[in-house]
Amino acid sequence: MSRPTFIETDRLELTPPEEDDIDFLREGVNHPDVREHIGVFREPYTEQRYRDELWGVDTDSSTLIAVPKSGDYAGDPVGSVQLYPVNDADGSANFGVWFHPDAWGNGYATEASAHVIDYGFRELRLHRISASVMAGNDASRRLCERLGFVHEGTTREAQFADGDYRDTERYGLLENEWEGPDAIL
């Protein structure tokens, strides 16, 4: 499929989602290894739910699909990064990321995330980007720390997953703390 590139990195094209991406997106967020750590994915995602979130009237989001340029996954989507919601009045956004488990371990999440965060600070003129990580999601915690996010606190027993309440770790990154993708990659 030919798609417009919104951000190009060394190994990835970050593109706006298109209708042809709906099956991949649904499969990814409904995958047990992804769904386990992301509270908003508790209810199964349907095609209509994705359409409403991606292209609905009230959408204030920068959601991008990560597509490798070469290798085993060349030309196929492997994950999603987003800034949502973007709050222009406060100059803030929440950072979210998930990648299909088949593509884990290739550094795609780090590369895509660094460039989306850079876009948020440089193009959207954000002052602050926040991130929330469910306790036990060590890969996402490490990603936030590698990206330069500062741990700001723990919200105790904030999410219900697998029959138990779990803490949520809160992170924040300010514009003046961001050194750019080159410092991360």
Side-chain angles (χ1 to χ4, degrees):
M1 158 188 3
S2 176
R3 56 175 79 234
T5 300
F6 189 74
I7 298 173
E8 186 169 0
T9 76
D10 288 342
R11 300 181 309 141
L12 300 170
E13 292 179 345
L14 302 178
T15 68
E18 296 179 348
E19 184 68 29
D20 289 349
D21 295 315
I22 294 289
D23 285 340
F24 165 75
L25 292 167
R26 265 189 333 99
E27 177 189 338
V29 300
N30 289 324
H31 192 288
D33 293 337
V34 173
R35 195 178 69 236
E36 174 184 3
H37 296 294
I38 302 177
V40 74
F41 296 160
R42 292 287 171 259
E43 295 294 320
Y45 261 68
T46 63
E47 289 182 29
Q48 189 58 49
R49 183 173 177 188
Y50 247 116
R51 283 187 187 89
D52 292 346
E53 287 187 14
L54 292 172
W55 302 298
V57 177
D58 296 329
T59 302
D60 191 11
S61 163
S62 294
T63 297
L64 298 171
I65 305 296
V67 180
K69 296 179 189 177
S70 61
D72 291 342
Y73 304 104
D76 294 326
V78 293
S80 173
V81 291
Q82 68 175 288
L83 297 172
Y84 175 80
V86 175
N87 183 324
D88 291 323
D90 292 336
S92 66
N94 190 64
F95 165 68
V97 58
W98 66 265
F99 275 71
H100 196 284
D102 291 346
W104 288 356
N106 291 295
Y108 295 141
T110 303
E111 187 170 337
S113 298
H115 286 277
V116 165
I117 289 169
D118 195 60
Y119 167 77
F121 285 130
R122 297 194 195 293
E123 300 297 325
L124 298 180
R125 301 288 186 217
L126 296 175
H127 173 70
R128 173 186 168 76
I129 297 175
S130 61
S132 299
V133 177
M134 188 183 293
N137 189 348
D138 294 333
S140 288
R141 180 188 48 76
R142 284 190 306 271
L143 175 63
C144 285
E145 291 169 0
R146 180 163 181 192
L147 292 167
F149 281 85
V150 174
H151 184 259
E152 297 179 330
T154 302
T155 306
R156 298 174 304 136
E157 297 184 5
Q159 296 185 26
F160 190 76
D162 294 330
D164 198 16
Y165 287 97
R166 295 189 189 176
D167 295 346
T168 300
E169 304 303 330
R170 307 289 181 184
Y171 290 87
L173 181 61
L174 302 177
E175 176 186 19
N176 64 355
E177 298 169 335
W178 178 243
E179 297 181 23
D182 291 339
I184 306 303
L185 305 172

